[in-house]
Amino acid sequence: MLVGTGERIADAARLAEVRASAPGALALLHFLDEDDPALERALLFEGTAIASDAMPLTWTGVRPDALTWPLPPGALGHPRGAGTFSRAIRRLHRESGKLTLSEAVARCSLLPAQVLDEAVPALRRKGRLRAGSDADVVVFDPARIADQASYVDGTRPSLGIEHVLVNGTPVVRAGSIVSDALPGKPVRA
């Protein structure tokens, strides 16, 4: 997929043409069929964490200041960078009923933190609602949560996200971004 155009590159010859004419163009290679029952079985396997390492944003024009939010037009990225968790909750809980809401949320929060908590002790305070944990909380409507990002618009925010707290500070309030909130801190090993 040639990001920004939505073109599905048909073959190696077309990929060579794109590389020759636009060597810096971002192309995503599609190698997983999200409708393959084997992929769903893997996601449903006991103890499977759902996460995305995403990819860095690229820009079709001038790169804005790093603190610009919301992202201006021209930001290109993989749709799972913006919609991994809402997609998992939508597909595996609401649409198929194969996971309870609690199971889906745990696979998107607690389990990814546990995968890395030996190497990154700060992650022992993530993915949990309890005293001493970081106050990172997402409040969403389970009946409406849905990913909207696509390969053409990879940064489009998910639906149904009502509130987001990072370090106890609202960064999304009543579905709207709080643009001057910058409470995040790097998590380091």
Side-chain angles (χ1 to χ4, degrees), residues 3 6 10 13 27 39 41 78 80 86 89 91 93 103 118 124 128-129 133 138 143 154 157 159 165 168 174 178:
V3 176
L39 179 58
R41 280 194 307 276
H78 194 287
R80 293 312 155 260
S86 53
I89 293 168
R91 289 183 71 157
H93 167 66
E103 290 169 329
E118 286 295 316
R124 294 178 189 145
R128 300 147 171 94
L129 287 176
S133 292
V138 177
L159 295 172
L165 302 175
V178 180

Side-chain angles (χ1 to χ4, degrees), residues 57-124:
L57 293 176
T58 58
W59 299 92
T60 57
V62 177
R63 177 184 221 128
D65 179 272
L67 296 179
T68 301
W69 194 258
L71 292 172
L76 303 175
H78 194 287
R80 293 312 155 260
T84 296
F85 305 123
S86 53
R87 183 178 190 83
I89 293 168
R90 175 181 60 81
R91 289 183 71 157
L92 299 175
H93 167 66
R94 188 175 70 234
E95 292 177 356
S96 73
K98 294 185 177 175
L99 293 176
T100 67
L101 182 57
S102 294
E103 290 169 329
V105 169
R107 287 172 186 243
C108 295
S109 57
L110 177 61
L111 292 177
Q114 288 176 328
V115 166
L116 295 172
D117 71 7
E118 286 295 316
V120 186
L123 289 178
R124 294 178 189 145

Side-chain angles (χ1 to χ4, degrees), residues 121-139:
L123 289 178
R124 294 178 189 145
R125 295 187 311 271
K126 303 286 186 192
R128 300 147 171 94
L129 287 176
R130 67 176 183 210
S133 292
D134 291 345
D136 299 340
V137 179
V138 177
V139 178

Side-chain angles (χ1 to χ4, degrees), residues 6-82:
E7 175 190 351
R8 284 203 176 267
I9 297 175
D11 53 35
R14 176 63 182 137
L15 181 58
E17 287 175 20
V18 170
R19 285 185 171 163
S21 64
L26 179 62
L28 302 177
L29 301 179
H30 183 247
F31 63 93
L32 287 176
D33 178 358
E34 293 188 32
D35 295 320
D36 182 345
L39 179 58
E40 184 175 270
R41 280 194 307 276
L43 291 172
L44 294 172
F45 190 78
E46 186 177 345
T48 297
I50 296 173
S52 173
D53 56 5
M55 59 179 258
L57 293 176
T58 58
W59 299 92
T60 57
V62 177
R63 177 184 221 128
D65 179 272
L67 296 179
T68 301
W69 194 258
L71 292 172
L76 303 175
H78 194 287
R80 293 312 155 260

